[in-house]
Every structure is written in structure tokens, then in C-alpha cells.
Amino acid sequence: MRTVAVVGASLAGLSAARALRGQGYDGRLVVIGEEAHRPYDRPPLSKEFLSGTLGEAELALETDGEDLRAEWLLGVRATHLDTTPLPGGTVHLSDGRSVRADGVVIATGAAPRTLPGSTGLAGVHTLRTLDDARALRDELALGGRLVVIGGGFIGAEVAATASGLGLDVTVVEAAPTPLAGPLGETMGALVSALHTDHGVRLWCGVGVKGLGGEARVDAVLLEDGRSVPADIVVVGVGAGPCVEWLEGSGLRLDDGVVCGADGRTDLAGVVAVGDCAAWWDPRTGAHRRVEHWTGARERPAAAVAALLTGGAVAPGVPRAPYFWSDQYGVRVQFAGHAAGADSVTVEAGTPEGRDVLAVYRSAGRPVAVLGMNQPRLFTRWRKQLA
Amino acid sequence: MMIPACRLADLPRGEALRLDIDPPVSVFHTDDGELYAIDDTCTHQDASLADGWLEGCEVECPLHASKFDLRTGAVDAPPAKHPVRTHEVVVADGVIHVRLSAEAPRLPPCVASRLAGGPA
Ligand SMILES: Cc1cc2nc3c(=O)[nH]c(=O)nc-3n(C[C@H](O)[C@H](O)[C@H](O)COP(=O)(O)OP(=O)(O)OC[C@H]3O[C@@H](n4cnc5c(N)ncnc54)[C@H](O)[C@@H]3O)c2cc1C
Ligand code: FES
């Protein structure tokens, strides 16, 4: 292999570039990224960076003096992947250039969903990039009433950070229980009760009809006719994979690039990693897109091994998906799959104490574990997940 | 400075003990029976490495999975970027002691700023 192109210059792309060099790849390495910034860490954007306790320099993912001998093409978007001839393909770029590579790593991540009709209204934010976070941080500094649409993890973290900064915060969630998808209803309700503990209003089971205001947002209009006054609105209704540029490439796209258990796609010399990739999960017997930091950091090593050897190495079973979230000073950790569980039991701590360690089981076997401020016990249980 | 930690018999293999000194230090007893002491606080954020995942001579941070080599303190990959201090371990009369390193500790930015601002 003489040229490898990594498309997407964030956590998964950087991890892939590192794995390439770490596994002895010595050829040309081109890293393409739409953002002008060097790779930076996103989790602090809704937490320490938003609250002002961490500066931009500390977000950098590269270490001082790190040199991957890569050509960085930043501030330029991949617009199309031409996969003839295989292996690999030609990546066409928004500035008219193109890169022919015999290995392609797709690491374009995900982009936030927006509300129809909310664009162009001042005071309305989504949060994915450093530029988004700067804009939101500057507005939060002015104070006022914040309405967060969506009670998922990012919405919850923004609500927690903003309430810590002294804003008046309301969270609106369409589902009857926030976080029911990842955590199940009981534990979703338990974790999202952190909002009310801290004086943040949580309105569940009501959809958003639209936003009020002329040039600037002044309210969130609900489907039941009510309206919530707002000076700032954050839309946190999930993210979709950035794969539209791959249409027509011959890759299978279905909520992300469809991949095997080692990140290989159906096309020779093309692998996908991170938030844009739906890997085959041998545990659940389905393709699944995992939008968590740890997967974006760990899995590229397996994908790169598959790329460099043409899949000669049998993929190991990756660790169960893991994520953390910091809200209202509580460290929430979760690993595994809640969906397949038939029971959830609290093994330590109490719901009232917000220090629960809960284990999800399927036919008696632990399949997932949730911890709130229980890092040691959580780590032990996480180890036992098959 | 030599600090007594606990009796060797009270720290089974595969376990870690946190000493609540300032900054905290942890003693690890590996599955192979080796003893190591390192600064307990991850250099990335405020997480206790004694709560982490011990495997061979490495401990994985319980929060974001950077791994630290117990022998050298070296870190393998981000988000942590800096090594932790290592300390010498001495067992005398069945009691584990830690001889504290003279180096300056590497505290994560959030902990360092809290300490600089006085006790929170
Ligand atoms: C605010 C926030 C907080 C989070 N907090 C947590 C947390 O607490 N715990 C946790 O486990 N996870 C958290 N996450 C999730 C975690 O950050 C992601 O899983 C991780 O960033 C995924 O990395 P990635 O490289 O796959 O994708 P991304 O980080 O999304 O990077 C993709 C990159 O590709 C670029 N790109 C997209 N399309 C193109 C194109 N066509 N051409 C060139 N470049 C392109 C994008 O500009 C972007 O820079 C958080 C995410 C956000 C946004
Ligand atoms: S706190 Fe240890 S790696 Fe982040």
C-alpha cells in the first residue's frame, strides 16, 4: 500500500493515522478534514469548555511534538469517493483537488440534526464543533432563559453546565422518559431526575412544534399549544452520520457506512471508523453505529489492521460499547447493551443518593452496567460483561 | 519520605489501595505479585487510577481509558498526555511502605486550578 487517505480529521481519523504509523505503515498518509482546526476533543465542549474551566489549547488531541508524517489537508471537504479502480479510490475535494489512494479510511463522524424551520433565527444553537461551542459559550455568558430541546446526553450536559453558570434552564423532551433508548425507562428516569434535583425544569412527553421570534428566538412552541419563553435555545435531538458524500460510491449506507466486525466495508481497501460507521456487532447480531468517544478511539486500530492485511487477521470481539457523561457534578458511566436486557437491578447505592450501580441482565447474564459516581464498582462490573 | 500503606497480607493480588495523602498515591498489587506505587490522580482529569482496570503492569483509567505503565508512569494514548509519578515500594516486616518521589506531581488542569484557588 503506497497511499492511504483518511477522511475526517477528528478522534477516529487521528486514531487511524496513529494506528497506521504504529502498525508500521510507511507510505504516504493524507488526512483530510473539513474543519480548519487540528484534531480536538469534543466531550469537553458541553462540559469544561462550555463552563470556561478548560481552554482551547487543552482540547488538542495531538501531543506536543507528535509527528505522524502526514499531509494535512484541513478546511477542505471530501465531496465524492470514486471507487474505480479498487482497491481504495479517489477522494474528490471541495477545492477541486483529488487524492488517489489505495487505502481509504472513512472517519467523517456525525452532524447534529436540526429542527425544520429553525435556521436563520439568532439564539438557536446546535453543539458539535469547536466553533459551535464558542458561539454558545459567548451567548450563555450573557445569561437569561435557556431552553434545551432534547433530553439526551448532550442536551443534559448543556443544561447542567448552563444551570451551573446561573441560567434559568428548561429541558423539553418528546419521549415520556429521557434516555430511555440507551438506558431503559427506569434508569433513564433516574439519571434524568438530576435535572429536577438542580432546579432545572424537565418537560417530558411533549413534542416541539416550532420556534417563536422574528430575527431572534423568543420562545419554544409546543405541540400541546403551550409555549416556553426562551432567550437561547439549544437543539439536542441527536446526530446523523456524515455519509452523504459517499452516495454513488458503491458503499452500502444504512444509518452509517455498513461494515464488518473489523471496520471493513464491502469494497476492497475501504474501511470506516467512528461515529459514521455501523460495525457488525457479534454480541447483538446486528450492525450498529456507536456514537461514543471510546469506540472512536479504540476501534480504528482493528480497522487499520484489517486494511493493511486485507482482512487476513480475524477480528477479535471488541469491548462492549462504553460511554461516560458528566452532569451536575455526577459522573455517569455506562457499558454494554441495555436493549436486550430482561431485568435491571440496583447492586449498590440508592436512587435517592444518586450513586446507583445498576446491572442489566439477560437470562441471568450481565449485558450492561450503569454507574453514577461509582467508578470502582463500575469498572469491575464492566470487566465482567461478556 | 517513607509512608506505611498496609500489611501485604491485606492487599490481595489484582487490588489497589489508595493512600489519602496530598496528592493521593496508590499501591497496586498485580496478578503476578508485583507491587507498584504511582500518583493516584489521572493526569487528564479528576479520576482515581486505583478505581481503574489493572492488567499486567498497566492500569487503565476508569474514565477515558488512557493506560499508565505502573513501572515507569508512562501513558500510552490520549486523552491523557502526561505520565504519572512513580514511587518506590518497600516491604518491611510484612508491611508495604511507599517512598515518595521527590519530583513534582503532574496534576490534571481541573485539579491543579482547584488547588491553586485554595481548598474548594
Ligand atoms: C458536545 C459533545 C460532547 C460529547 N461528550 C461525550 C462524552 O461525554 N462521552 C462520550 O463517550 N462521547 C461523547 N461525545 C461523542 C464523541 O465526541 C464522538 O463519539 C467522537 O467525537 C466521534 O469521533 P469521530 O472522529 O468519529 O467523529 P467526529 O468527532 O464527528 O469527527 C468527524 C470529522 O470529520 C469531518 N468531516 C465530516 N464530513 C467531512 C467531509 N465530507 N470531508 C472532510 N471532513 C469531513 C468533520 O468536520 C469532523 O471534524 C460527545 C460529542 C459531542 C459533540
Ligand atoms: S481522566 Fe483519565 S483518561 Fe481522562
Side-chain angles (χ1 to χ4, degrees):
Chain A
M1 205 160 276
R2 302 180 49 186
T3 301
V4 175
V6 176
V7 189
S10 180
L11 179 61
L14 174 66
S15 303
R18 280 185 173 142
L20 279 160
R21 292 306 188 207
Q23 293 177 28
Y25 171 71
D26 209 27
R28 179 174 178 228
L29 175 56
V30 185
V31 184
I32 298 154
E34 179 167 18
E35 293 180 73
H37 310 292
R38 299 293 289 204
Y40 61 87
D41 210 17
R42 285 177 215 275
L45 298 181
S46 51
K47 312 176 182 81
E48 301 86 356
F49 180 77
L50 201 56
S51 68
T53 52
L54 204 70
E56 270 176 39
E58 285 148 331
L59 296 178
L61 283 171
E62 292 163 284
T63 49
D64 293 343
E66 179 169 10
D67 181 10
L68 293 167
R69 290 171 290 123
E71 295 164 42
W72 293 83
L73 305 183
L74 297 180
V76 57
R77 214 164 70 80
T79 52
H80 180 60
L81 176 67
D82 180 357
T83 51
T84 48
L86 287 169
T90 302
V91 184
H92 295 274
L93 305 179
S94 53
D95 62 3
R97 283 182 291 177
S98 64
V99 179
R100 167 69 213 168
D102 31 20
V104 176
V105 179
I106 298 168
T108 43
R113 294 201 185 91
T114 51
L115 286 182
S118 67
T119 41
L121 212 51
V124 182
H125 298 259
T126 52
L127 180 55
R128 181 82 196 179
T129 65
L130 175 57
D131 297 338
D132 295 341
R134 284 176 180 158
L136 180 58
R137 188 191 54 186
D138 292 351
E139 277 215 329
L140 292 181
L142 305 175
R145 292 162 304 184
L146 169 71
V147 179
V148 178
I149 302 175
F153 285 107
I154 290 188
E157 290 177 357
V158 170
T161 305
S163 100
L165 292 170
L167 281 86
D168 175 81
V169 185
T170 304
V171 176
V172 181
E173 165 64 48
T177 315
L179 305 174
L183 302 185
E185 264 175 43
T186 319
M187 293 301 145
L190 179 57
V191 171
S192 53
L194 288 171
H195 292 300
T196 29
D197 289 358
H198 291 82
V200 167
R201 286 177 297 277
L202 174 60
W203 294 18
C204 290
V206 57
V208 168
K209 193 168 62 186
L211 300 176
E214 293 296 321
R216 186 176 175 91
V217 70
D218 62 17
V220 173
L221 313 173
L222 305 181
E223 271 168 356
D224 62 8
R226 288 182 294 176
S227 95
V228 195
D231 303 304
I232 310 167
V233 169
V234 171
V235 181
V237 294
C242 297
V243 293
E244 51 314 314
W245 67 282
L246 295 167
E247 264 152 38
S249 64
L251 286 167
R252 211 158 25 116
L253 306 176
D254 177 18
D255 187 39
V257 182
V258 178
C259 300
D262 54 3
R264 277 193 303 154
T265 67
D266 296 340
L267 301 184
V270 183
V271 297
V273 292
D275 282 15
C276 68
W279 283 33
W280 177 255
D281 185 338
R283 282 190 186 79
T284 57
H287 288 100
R288 177 163 174 215
R289 205 160 63 78
V290 177
E291 291 181 87
H292 307 318
W293 192 97
T294 307
R297 175 178 134 198
E298 291 179 350
R299 294 186 174 194
V304 159
L307 183 70
L308 293 179
T309 63
V313 191
V317 177
R319 288 206 281 181
Y322 162 75
F323 66 83
W324 77 91
S325 175
D326 294 322
Q327 302 171 26
Y328 304 102
V330 174
R331 198 154 266 174
V332 179
Q333 294 175 286
F334 184 86
H337 297 278
D342 51 35
S343 74
V344 189
T345 46
V346 172
E347 306 276 335
T350 61
E352 303 72 44
R354 308 287 188 238
D355 59 351
V356 152
L357 188 287
V359 178
Y360 299 63
R361 291 186 176 83
S362 167
R365 204 171 46 91
V367 292
V369 55
L370 166 73
M372 295 172 81
N373 278 344
Q374 289 280 12
R376 178 174 284 213
L377 272 181
F378 176 85
T379 303
R380 294 187 178 187
W381 276 101
R382 182 184 174 193
K383 225 172 180 171
Q384 291 180 35
L385 297 179
Chain B
M1 197 177 22
M2 282 274 265
I3 298 178
C6 68
R7 294 171 48 80
L8 178 58
D10 293 339
L11 185 63
R13 290 184 184 199
E15 295 285 326
L17 173 77
R18 174 164 57 237
L19 303 179
D20 284 317
I21 54 178
D22 192 16
V25 165
S26 282
V27 183
F28 292 83
H29 196 178
T30 68
D31 289 326
D32 295 336
E34 305 281 345
L35 291 167
Y36 298 100
I38 61 172
D39 275 353
D40 179 61
T41 311
C42 181
T43 57
H44 175 234
Q45 270 179 24
D46 196 0
S48 160
L49 294 173
D51 291 342
W53 188 313
L54 182 60
E55 210 158 298
C57 282
E58 276 188 333
V59 63
E60 181 183 292
C61 175
L63 249 201
H64 313 130
S66 284
K67 287 183 192 155
F68 295 89
D69 188 322
L70 297 174
R71 296 164 296 191
T72 61
V75 63
D76 73 325
K81 293 178 194 161
H82 305 294
V84 289
R85 284 190 308 179
T86 56
H87 309 279
E88 192 187 338
V89 181
V90 182
V91 180
D93 295 330
V95 174
I96 302 171
H97 293 79
V98 174
R99 194 192 307 272
L100 285 186
S101 155
E103 275 172 56
R106 271 282 197 184
L107 293 171
C110 53
V111 174
S113 63
R114 197 174 63 218
L115 293 180

